[in-house]
Amino acid sequence: MNRCLARWLVGMYPRGWRQRYGAELQAMLEDGGGGVRAAWNVMTAAAGERMFPTMEGGMGEASALQRWGARAPWAVFGVAPVVALAAAYSVALLILWTGWQMFLPAEKTPFVPVDGWAIAYFGAGRMLYFYAPMVVGVVLAWAAVRARARFLWPLLGAMAMAAIDGVIQVRTVRPTLSEAGSVHLEFADWHPATSIAGLAVTILVYLLFRARRARHAV
């Protein structure tokens, strides 16, 4: 294999791993003459090492996550995901509100057919609103597996997010002559299917990450 390519592939590993095994791996790649398959195997292994380090202290952020996860698991895996979800919802509402003012100033509601750039603008807010619980759940599962946290803590965080996702909805208030309209969240009837689906996705991703880490550690 070309020396530059071998060096680039080795560089995908975390620094701690490279310091211990980098020279050996680079020499093996240069002498082995591997092709696309070998490069792909190295890239997937490097990605696994970055996501779930096998070397203690190999990456500062991993050890910090483990320390905080052990010191305050309720905050890392319970409060933080809920705060992240609330922040994502806030950004989605901001997009909806600003889009209403920019593209539909004469309309009494932003939930009307749109065209042009408004489709992409409102679409970004809609995607953020609907997919935020899933994205936060995936990050929660990854952080819990990486920090080797007990399953109880990410489960509680996932349950809290699922409960919130199942009972909130967007509400808009029509503008009047004296006041502008408003966009906010409010509690509504619980939708169990939404909550169960979000919780199931987080648990499934957690189990997949955990299995991936177990295979990577072997």
Side-chain angles (χ1 to χ4, degrees):
M1 181 180 291
N2 180 274
R3 175 176 295 182
C4 293
L5 178 58
R7 184 181 303 171
W8 180 78
L9 290 172
V10 173
M12 298 181 68
Y13 281 88
R15 179 183 301 177
W17 196 97
R18 294 198 308 268
Q19 291 175 348
R20 185 167 183 177
Y21 303 110
E24 180 181 351
L25 177 60
Q26 182 173 339
M28 183 179 66
L29 291 174
E30 292 178 5
D31 297 338
V36 176
R37 185 181 181 86
W40 173 255
N41 290 337
V42 172
M43 287 189 291
T44 54
E49 183 65 28
R50 284 194 174 273
M51 292 181 66
F52 309 114
T54 57
M55 296 180 56
E56 294 294 338
M59 294 184 67
E61 59 269 23
S63 59
L65 180 61
Q66 291 176 8
R67 289 196 302 269
W68 278 104
R71 185 182 306 171
W74 58 270
V76 176
F77 306 113
V79 177
V82 173
V83 172
L85 183 61
Y89 282 152
S90 299
V91 175
L93 293 181
L94 179 62
I95 293 174
L96 180 61
W97 165 253
T98 54
W100 189 6
Q101 302 303 308
M102 290 189 300
F103 300 108
L104 305 167
E107 298 291 343
K108 295 182 178 180
T109 175
F111 301 113
V112 296
V114 295
D115 55 13
W117 288 104
I119 296 177
Y121 193 85
F122 284 112
R126 187 178 297 109
M127 288 184 61
L128 179 60
Y129 177 80
F130 285 108
Y131 289 104
M134 183 183 302
V135 173
V136 176
V138 170
V139 175
L140 169 63
W142 167 79
V145 173
R146 181 161 181 166
R148 297 183 175 90
R150 293 174 55 190
F151 178 65
L152 172 64
W153 295 113
L155 177 61
L156 292 177
M159 291 176 63
M161 290 194 302
I164 294 172
D165 188 36
V167 298
I168 63 169
Q169 67 178 11
V170 178
R171 182 179 180 183
T172 60
V173 178
R174 295 180 178 181
T176 63
L177 295 177
S178 58
E179 296 182 0
S182 64
V183 177
H184 60 273
L185 294 177
E186 67 177 10
F187 290 104
D189 294 335
W190 181 49
H191 295 82
T194 302
S195 296
I196 293 173
L199 181 61
V201 168
T202 302
I203 294 176
L204 177 60
V205 172
Y206 173 85
L207 295 176
L208 291 175
F209 279 159
R210 190 166 181 175
R212 176 67 178 83
R213 175 161 195 162
R215 291 196 303 269
H216 182 65
V218 174

